Amino acid sequence: MSEAGPRLRSDSPERTEAIGAEIARDLSPGDVVLVEGDVGAGKTTLIRGACRALGVREPVTSPTFTIGARYAGRVPVSHLDLYRLEELDAEVPGLLDDYLTPDAIAFVEWPAVGADLVAARVRAEIEHAGGDRRSISVICR
Ligand code: ADP
Ligand code: MG
């Protein structure tokens, strides 16, 4: 993946999962992947594909009543959904510490604003492109 990654086209949830799996191939423990996009864009879907590729077998759904989930894959995998965090307190010290651990690969669903809270190495941005189509950009630094 390059600094300014290409825009990838998806026309199904399965294709978005496959793009997630592709992203997962380049990840190592300690990496944080920021996944941006509107509600329903496919953030959780992309993360599900990445988690499957990392050996996670349990269901990967949107964490609803907590900010995150921790899965056992070939490495520990964290899945955070901070979409509603602005209603909580983004400044609570240590809020993410249990999830962003050096041994884990972490995926963070995040709104388009305030992305600098997390020092992510990889950013995926998903945009609606009509119907089941999505445009996905992946930036890796
Ligand atoms: P988010 O986490 O961004 O809110 P989800 O992954 O939970 O989004 O939901 C995306 C919804 O859009 C799912 O119902 C999925 O089946 C549907 N969908 C349709 N086309 C696509 C696509 N190309 N990629 C991802 N999801 C898609
Ligand atoms: Mg989601």
Side-chain angles (χ1 to χ4, degrees), residues 6 11 19 29 45 49 59 65 73 76-79 95-96 109-111 113 116 121 131 140:
D11 54 13
I19 291 170
T45 301
F65 300 109
V77 178
S78 293
H79 177 193
L95 187 65
L96 310 179
E109 298 190 39
W110 191 263
V113 292
D116 50 4
R121 190 175 73 79
C140 192

Side-chain angles (χ1 to χ4, degrees), residues 28-31 70 97 99-105:
S28 332
D31 279 341
R70 185 98 167 170
D97 288 2
Y99 297 99
L100 304 184
T101 54
D103 61 328
I105 291 172

Side-chain angles (χ1 to χ4, degrees), residues 52-85:
R52 290 285 172 265
L54 291 168
V56 174
R57 288 162 173 271
E58 44 201 301
V60 175
T61 57
S62 280
T64 310
F65 300 109
T66 63
I67 61 164
R70 185 98 167 170
Y71 311 121
R74 281 191 293 282
V75 298
V77 178
S78 293
H79 177 193
L80 287 151
D81 187 345
L82 305 184
Y83 222 88
R84 289 165 297 275
L85 193 64

Side-chain angles (χ1 to χ4, degrees), residues 18 22 33 39 132-133:
E22 193 82 9
V33 179
V39 173
D132 284 355
R133 283 172 304 172

